[in-house]
Amino acid sequence: MAKFMYLVYLLQLLCAAGAASVDLVDMEVSNCSKVKHIFVSKNITNHVPDNPVEGSRLSVCRSRHSCCTPELEEGLHRRVRRDFQSLLHHSSQTVQGLLYTTATTLKSHVTLLARTSENKTLTLFSEAYSRMFTLAHPPISALYGSLLSYLNRSDPGLGPGLPSSIPSGDSTALQELVLDFFAQLFPLVYHQAVNLHATDFTEEYKVCLRKAFPDILPFSDYPREIAVDIAKTFEETKVLLEALLLGADILNTTDQLMSSSNSSGLDNCYEALMRLYYCPRCQGLPSTIKPCNGYCLNVMRGCLTQQRAHELDLPWNNFLSETERLVRQTREHNGVEAVLRTLTTRISDAIMYASIKGPYIEKKVRKACGAPRLVAGPAVPDETLAAPGASVELPGVTVSSVARGYKEPSSDSPLQLFLDAVTSTHARDFYANLADSLCSDESFAETRDTAECWNGLRVGEYTKTLVRPGVDAQKYNPELTWTESEPDPKIGQLSDRLRHMRQVVLSQLSQTNQLMSDSFVRGEEGSGSGHSPHWDAEDDDPAREPWNEEGSGSGDRPIEVDSDSPVNTSPKIPHDKTSGAASSASAVYLLTLSLAVLLLPFTRWH
């Protein structure tokens, strides 16, 4: 029995000696001149010895001879935590900047397009519809201002709430915005281009005209078509802006969480980081000797798993994947850009339709609101009307500058740059590959296959097992002791926001695809006669609704589409099926329209 106890005692001594040999690094340290400037650059100047000192009193970087004192090691321990936080921030900053820059550039691009479109529209009224200009200015500015205000509300990073709702009610609100604009425009057009009078209508009569607008349809289907296109493209753009800004905010918030983490479970992480980065300096090794890549990966994967960054990996990947799809879709059909570039022309077409269909519209107005009721008093003097080329002050551009040939914003979009940069910045699988990104930084770790690197004990090859990312694998990490911890509710909230935003993006993708399919179906309807879908109906048949007829399917001429215009979403409104009389009437209207367009530079609408 005594012999057995002696053997146990001897075994314990051997184990203690082995542990000491592991803890105490025995490397020859001649002097500390090669590392002293490193500590000075870290603003740690106290207790830096000129020559090696006894290192057995150190708590982490224990060795027989060291360039670190216990006081210096304590300062390095505080410093390594800040270094790690800075390293995380630097790694995510590129992706965060990509998302934020794409969002702000896209918003600026759309804002400039909207301002240019607004000025073009005001130029149109100033030169072609001068008698309406003064009264039309407020509703025009209100329309564009409301659209831009809608986009400017897309910043989910400003609060803890979730962006958008599923399904979104924005489409209906945007369509009502556009239809209200045309309802406000109707009394002006009716007074100046259809039923001209020396004095204006009474306010009561204007109210009646606005209320009767949905039944009279003075602009045919133009308002509804424009409303649908604006609602589709502006909602799509807003969701994209929300997604980009949310992604940037998630990265920023994660950085802050990791920087402010006070979990006691991270103590061994910071000790492992000390051994990884600062212990070789305590051994007098110069900065050219960096941690081995496998050693770095084990430490970083262990630390990041303890900080629970891996929990964001799946929701982040799914969110970014759907956001990329939305970016591609927005870029392919030039949604909001195409709508804004053609909006002025479409508004003009709607007004011209109303002027040409004046007699028919007047019959419906008299039926709904009676004879015109006018304001008593003198006529509006001509000098109060806008003259050709009048300048209207707006941010950035004036009407007069547009009239002189103002160059529209470039069609180059930031979206293609975003798609190209997603790969180069390793935005996909960002959280899963974060440790790889950190250890691929040549300024931090060795990236070559070499034995001239720090392996945790000395300069030499790293031979320990390389563990995979993830919780299960970290139980076998040779560099950190794994400690189970409760899920972080803040990380859970970030995951929920990513999942919610992904559903918003998926809903928008589905909604846009459905609208585009509906537009294609509407584009396939109609007579196929080649006549304008809006202007080829009879005027003198009050019982006839020219914009609700079915097509003849004659197929004698192909449908013509303007190559400079966006995809036509207009329902085809056919000509009369019965006889050549309808064709004659259509020819008259087309001739009238052509003359109106040719004479437009020389005349005014009176």
Side-chain angles (χ1 to χ4, degrees):
M1 187 66 177
K3 292 182 178 180
F4 177 75
M5 293 300 297
Y6 176 76
L7 290 174
V8 171
Y9 177 70
L10 182 61
L11 183 61
Q12 290 175 342
L13 288 177
L14 291 173
C15 290
S21 66
V22 172
D23 290 338
L24 294 176
V25 178
D26 190 8
M27 292 181 60
E28 186 67 28
V29 184
S30 59
N31 63 73
C32 300
S33 60
K34 295 180 180 179
V35 297
K36 189 169 184 178
H37 72 280
I38 298 175
F39 299 140
V40 172
S41 67
K42 298 291 183 179
N43 293 323
I44 303 175
T45 56
N46 296 330
H47 313 292
V48 179
D50 294 323
N51 297 303
V53 296
E54 173 63 37
S56 60
R57 295 184 297 124
L58 302 179
S59 61
V60 178
C61 301
R62 300 181 70 224
S63 62
R64 299 191 186 281
H65 306 285
S66 176
C67 290
C68 292
T69 62
E71 294 80 8
L72 177 59
E73 186 189 46
E74 184 179 349
L76 291 174
H77 195 277
R78 292 191 298 267
R79 181 72 197 189
V80 77
R81 176 171 177 168
R82 292 197 297 271
D83 289 345
F84 182 55
Q85 294 164 358
S86 177
L87 198 63
L88 291 175
H89 179 69
H90 174 73
S91 180
S92 67
Q93 198 171 29
T94 303
V95 181
Q96 183 180 339
L98 169 65
L99 295 167
Y100 183 76
T101 301
T102 303
T104 53
T105 306
L106 176 60
K107 184 183 290 187
S108 298
H109 184 69
V110 174
T111 299
L112 183 56
L113 286 169
R115 291 302 184 192
T116 303
S117 177
E118 180 180 0
N119 281 285
K120 287 175 62 179
T121 304
L122 288 170
T123 299
L124 170 74
F125 277 82
S126 172
E127 297 186 344
Y129 312 119
S130 60
R131 288 189 178 274
M132 304 182 214
F133 178 81
T134 302
L135 295 178
H137 191 299
I140 292 172
S141 297
L143 172 65
Y144 285 96
S146 297
L147 293 176
L148 290 178
S149 296
Y150 170 76
L151 287 184
N152 288 332
R153 292 198 301 270
S154 55
D155 191 351
L158 296 179
L162 297 173
S164 295
S165 58
I166 308 174
S168 172
D170 292 354
S171 179
T172 300
L174 286 168
Q175 290 188 45
E176 291 176 351
L177 194 70
V178 177
L179 293 177
D180 182 68
F181 162 73
F182 279 99
Q184 296 293 325
L185 201 61
F186 175 41
L188 306 181
V189 174
Y190 184 67
H191 181 266
Q192 300 295 342
V194 177
N195 196 309
L196 181 62
H197 291 279
T199 58
D200 198 4
F201 296 136
T202 63
E203 186 57 35
E204 292 77 12
Y205 196 71
K206 290 180 182 180
V207 170
C208 182
L209 292 175
R210 295 187 194 106
K211 289 182 178 179
F213 168 77
D215 298 322
I216 297 174
L217 293 177
F219 305 114
S220 186
D221 251 3
Y222 281 106
R224 185 187 62 82
E225 293 167 6
I226 294 172
V228 169
D229 288 345
I230 284 180
K232 175 183 68 178
T233 57
F234 269 80
E235 185 178 13
E236 178 183 69
T237 303
K238 181 186 176 184
V239 168
L240 179 54
L241 288 171
E242 285 181 335
L244 294 169
L245 291 171
L246 177 80
D249 184 63
I250 292 292
L251 291 169
N252 181 57
T253 305
T254 306
D255 275 353
Q256 294 175 4
L257 285 178
M258 291 183 175
S259 299
S260 62
S261 178
N262 294 315
S263 172
S264 58
L266 294 177
D267 289 342
N268 61 0
C269 165
Y270 295 129
E271 289 182 3
L273 288 169
M274 274 283 294
R275 288 190 294 269
L276 176 77
Y277 193 71
Y278 282 122
C279 285
R281 310 305 158 227
C282 289
Q283 291 300 304
L285 295 175
S287 58
T288 54
I289 302 298
K290 293 174 285 191
C292 300
N293 188 258
Y295 179 33
C296 177
L297 286 172
N298 276 343
V299 172
M300 289 299 175
R301 286 173 180 173
C303 284
L304 291 172
T305 304
Q306 287 188 352
Q307 291 197 326
R308 318 200 74 87
H310 66 281
E311 296 177 12
L312 290 171
D313 179 48
L314 183 60
W316 172 264
N317 290 346
N318 291 337
F319 153 78
L320 188 61
S321 175
E322 303 306 337
T323 300
E324 284 186 82
R325 284 182 57 199
L326 185 59
V327 168
R328 289 191 184 93
Q329 175 176 281
T330 304
R331 177 180 169 274
E332 285 171 2
H333 63 73
N334 276 340
V336 71
E337 185 167 322
V339 168
L340 287 173
R341 289 185 186 278
T342 59
L343 185 53
T344 299
T345 301
R346 297 171 77 180
I347 292 173
S348 180
D349 288 345
I351 296 173
M352 292 179 71
Y353 173 89
S355 64
I356 291 174
K357 306 297 279 185
Y360 181 71
I361 293 173
E362 189 163 7
K363 292 178 184 178
K364 301 193 77 171
V365 167
R366 287 181 177 272
K367 183 177 179 180
C369 298
R373 296 189 291 278
L374 306 175
V375 176
V380 178
D382 287 342
E383 56 267 21
T384 63
L385 304 176
S391 178
V392 177
E393 293 298 330
L394 285 174
V397 186
T398 62
V399 169
S400 56
S401 65
V402 177
R404 290 194 299 269
Y406 175 74
K407 185 179 180 180
E408 290 196 5
S410 168
S411 61
D412 293 339
S413 158
L415 300 183
Q416 183 57 48
L417 297 177
F418 169 82
L419 293 173
D420 295 339
V422 164
T423 301
S424 63
T425 58
H426 306 288
R428 301 188 192 96
D429 303 311
F430 173 78
Y431 288 101
N433 297 328
L434 184 53
D436 299 73
S437 298
L438 295 173
C439 294
S440 63
D441 186 344
E442 293 183 352
S443 65
F444 182 75
E446 186 60 69
T447 58
R448 299 172 299 152
D449 185 13
T450 177
E452 293 297 314
C453 55
W454 172 254
N455 64 13
L457 293 175
R458 63 187 62 84
V459 175
E461 184 181 1
Y462 185 73
T463 58
K464 295 181 182 180
T465 302
L466 181 63
V467 299
R468 296 176 291 103
V471 176
D472 294 336
Q474 297 315 306
K475 297 176 182 178
Y476 310 101
N477 194 321
E479 302 302 337
L480 287 87
T481 302
W482 174 251
T483 304
E484 292 287 347
S485 58
E486 294 295 326
D488 188 340
K490 294 180 180 179
I491 294 292
Q493 290 172 6
L494 295 179
S495 298
D496 288 342
R497 293 178 67 191
L498 287 170
R499 293 188 184 96
H500 176 85
M501 191 70 243
R502 176 177 181 252
Q503 292 302 317
V504 173
V505 172
L506 283 171
S507 176
Q508 182 60 46
L509 285 166
S510 175
Q511 180 179 340
T512 302
N513 289 335
Q514 181 61 44
L515 285 169
M516 292 176 70
S517 299
D518 293 345
S519 298
F520 176 78
V521 171
R522 291 199 302 270
E524 290 298 311
E525 298 174 355
S527 66
S529 67
H531 289 291
S532 168
H534 293 279
W535 298 345
D536 57 0
E538 292 285 353
D539 283 341
D540 52 0
D541 184 0
R544 194 160 174 236
E545 296 289 348
W547 38 80
N548 289 324
E549 295 177 356
E550 296 182 358
S552 66
S554 63
D556 56 338
R557 290 181 61 188
I559 299 175
E560 297 177 2
V561 180
D562 185 355
S563 61
D564 295 328
S565 301
V567 176
N568 182 15
T569 60
S570 308
K572 304 301 181 187
I573 300 171
H575 62 295
D576 188 86
K577 313 179 204 176
T578 57
S579 67
S583 298
S584 299
S586 298
V588 170
Y589 291 125
L590 289 175
L591 178 60
T592 303
L593 173 61
S594 300
L595 290 173
V597 173
L598 290 173
L599 294 175
L600 186 59
F602 308 98
T603 62
R604 296 212 168 264
W605 293 85
H606 293 301

